[in-house]
Amino acid sequence: MGLMDKLRGELIDIVEWLDDSRDTIVWRFPRYQNEIKMGAKLVVRESQTAVFVNEGKIADVFPPGTYTLETRNLPILSTLKGWKYGFNSPFKAEVYFVNTRQFTDMKWGTQNPVILRDAEFGVVRVRAFGAFAARVVDPAQLLRELVGTDPQFRTEEVQEYLRQLIVGRLGGALATAGVPLLDLAAHQDAIGRRLAAVLTEELAEVGIAIPKFVIENVSVPPEVEQALDKRTSMGAVGDLDRYTRFQAANAMEAAANNPGGEAGAGIGLGLGMAMGQQMARTMGGGGATQPAPAPAQPSAAQPGAAEPPPLPGQAQWYVGVGGQRQGPYDLGGLAEQAGAGALGPDTLVWRAGMAQWQPAGQVPELASVLASVPPALPPQ
């Protein structure tokens, strides 16, 4: 400090601070030899508090306003009388300006994940980050516990301490909140207010309060995120059966648009068959799931068979008599009709599989039946 600074310190008696930074919490007024003279004017502006330290002890705390300081130091004369102390006055006085506004540009985040127990997902690891605001509420306590004699105490000197304190309380706040993992986003504000109150109470011993605490995001490990994405996708799909049919229809359309591709044709054919089966089941059963077929009955040749299998069904025949359809008859019934004279070689017959009615004598299958037809009576 040069001669002019020394003289200015002796003559200028206005003590004030015009803050040109955004991160200074405490600033000590620079005065030559830390000598605040008798009658000096102290100007404290809004969002400031001045702490007056006289002879090494905190003498008073001044809120915003203009004050006249009375010290044991006398202007100029005190320095001249200080010759027996090496021209240094033994009566020291200092003024510390404390910024009491909110410091809102403070960030926090978890370097390591916090382990929580969730009712739905079990034990999960979460990370979180956000921002918070800090404010000095007890300037004298702040000087005693954190600042000391630091001429310029900045936010970077206390931010790491606050971050560690926040991370240490975050796990307990999330665990005691009783909020499921999927509902944390809806309760971030409430958890933030609870953390702000807890941190303010704990920081009271150093004169700092946390008026605002913001949780910007709570994240989980990538594997948990993938599981959540799958669950969300399943919920968005809804009816899996309808979704499968929709996907199959899209694949068939894509294959039809690419008729030259063998793979596309094969996929389209397979999906088409699957779709056809699905549509048949839907139309036949009203969309309900078809029951599984009953298990086959054991044959007589199989060990433990209770009864022989049923006989295969016989063909059913219809007979045209006098322009009227009669039947159906099996082969035994046709033999009875032939024995009664109602069935002859010229009688029209039909069964499933025949294109049209035919005379019985032209159907090879009925040769044995017509053999039982009695011959015509001899003329009398």
Side-chain angles (χ1 to χ4, degrees):
M1 183 175 292
L3 178 61
M4 292 303 297
D5 294 326
K6 179 178 180 180
L7 294 176
R8 188 179 297 109
E10 297 288 349
L11 299 175
I12 299 176
D13 298 323
I14 299 178
V15 181
E16 62 181 354
W17 178 38
L18 298 176
D19 184 16
D20 59 355
S21 69
R22 298 296 300 171
D23 60 351
T24 302
I25 301 177
V26 178
W27 181 77
R28 186 176 66 195
F29 181 77
R31 179 55 65 92
Y32 180 74
Q33 298 291 343
N34 293 333
E35 297 173 354
I36 304 301
K37 304 302 181 182
M38 180 73 70
K41 296 296 183 181
L42 173 64
V43 180
V44 183
R45 291 174 170 80
E46 293 292 341
S47 75
Q48 294 180 353
T49 299
V51 180
F52 180 59
V53 179
N54 186 30
E55 299 186 15
K57 295 182 180 180
I58 295 178
D60 206 349
V61 177
F62 297 89
T66 302
Y67 309 90
T68 300
L69 299 179
E70 300 290 338
T71 71
R72 296 173 60 179
N73 292 356
L74 299 177
I76 301 178
L77 182 61
S78 63
T79 301
L80 296 177
K81 284 188 174 183
W83 59 270
K84 61 181 179 180
Y85 300 102
F87 294 98
N88 290 320
S89 172
F91 308 109
K92 305 295 183 182
E94 305 160 0
V95 174
Y96 289 87
F97 286 92
V98 180
N99 201 334
T100 58
R101 70 173 179 85
Q102 289 191 35
F103 293 89
T104 59
D105 55 349
M106 308 186 80
K107 305 292 184 181
W108 66 271
T110 55
Q111 293 182 350
N112 298 315
V114 178
I115 300 178
L116 300 177
R117 184 184 299 276
D118 186 76
E120 186 172 0
F121 296 96
V123 179
V124 294
R125 296 178 291 116
V126 300
R127 294 180 182 270
F129 65 87
F132 66 97
R135 169 186 284 171
V136 178
V137 293
D138 191 341
Q141 193 69 8
L142 178 68
L143 258 67
R144 293 190 188 100
E145 298 296 332
L146 291 181
V147 179
T149 59
D150 191 347
Q152 188 173 15
F153 186 74
R154 309 172 75 94
T155 56
E156 61 185 13
E157 300 179 55
V158 71
Q159 187 167 0
E160 180 61 23
Y161 167 70
L162 296 178
R163 190 197 66 81
Q164 293 176 357
L165 188 63
I166 288 170
V167 173
R169 297 293 178 268
L170 179 65
L174 294 177
T176 58
V179 179
L181 179 63
L182 296 181
D183 297 333
L184 279 179
H187 295 79
Q188 287 181 179
D189 290 342
I191 298 174
R193 289 192 296 270
R194 181 182 303 179
L195 274 173
V198 171
L199 294 172
T200 297
E201 182 179 356
E202 185 159 349
L203 291 171
E205 62 183 14
V206 296
I208 297 178
I210 306 296
K212 187 67 174 178
F213 188 89
V214 178
I215 301 176
E216 296 183 20
N217 183 51
V218 178
S219 60
V220 295
E223 56 271 16
V224 180
E225 289 185 355
Q226 294 176 2
L228 291 176
D229 291 342
K230 290 181 179 179
R231 177 175 296 187
T232 303
S233 300
M234 293 176 62
V237 167
D239 190 341
L240 290 179
D241 185 50
R242 296 179 60 186
Y243 179 74
T244 301
R245 295 199 299 270
F246 174 73
Q247 291 290 84
N250 288 339
M252 290 173 62
E253 181 179 0
N257 293 333
N258 186 22
E262 296 181 359
I267 295 175
L269 179 60
L271 290 175
M273 295 175 62
M275 281 294 296
Q277 296 174 0
Q278 179 65 32
M279 292 177 64
R281 289 195 299 268
T282 302
M283 295 175 63
T289 303
Q290 298 296 326
Q297 297 293 332
S299 63
Q302 294 178 347
E307 58 183 11
L311 293 173
Q314 297 183 6
Q316 301 296 308
W317 296 84
Y318 292 89
V319 180
V321 178
Q324 299 294 327
R325 185 186 68 183
Q326 297 182 3
Y329 303 105
D330 56 9
L331 293 179
L334 291 179
E336 294 179 359
Q337 294 293 322
L343 175 65
D346 298 329
T347 305
L348 297 177
V349 296
W350 180 89
R351 64 167 175 78
M354 295 176 59
Q356 57 186 356
W357 291 78
Q358 295 182 6
Q362 299 179 9
V363 180
E365 300 175 49
L366 301 182
S368 59
V369 174
L370 295 176
S372 60
V373 177
L377 293 175
Q380 301 202 1

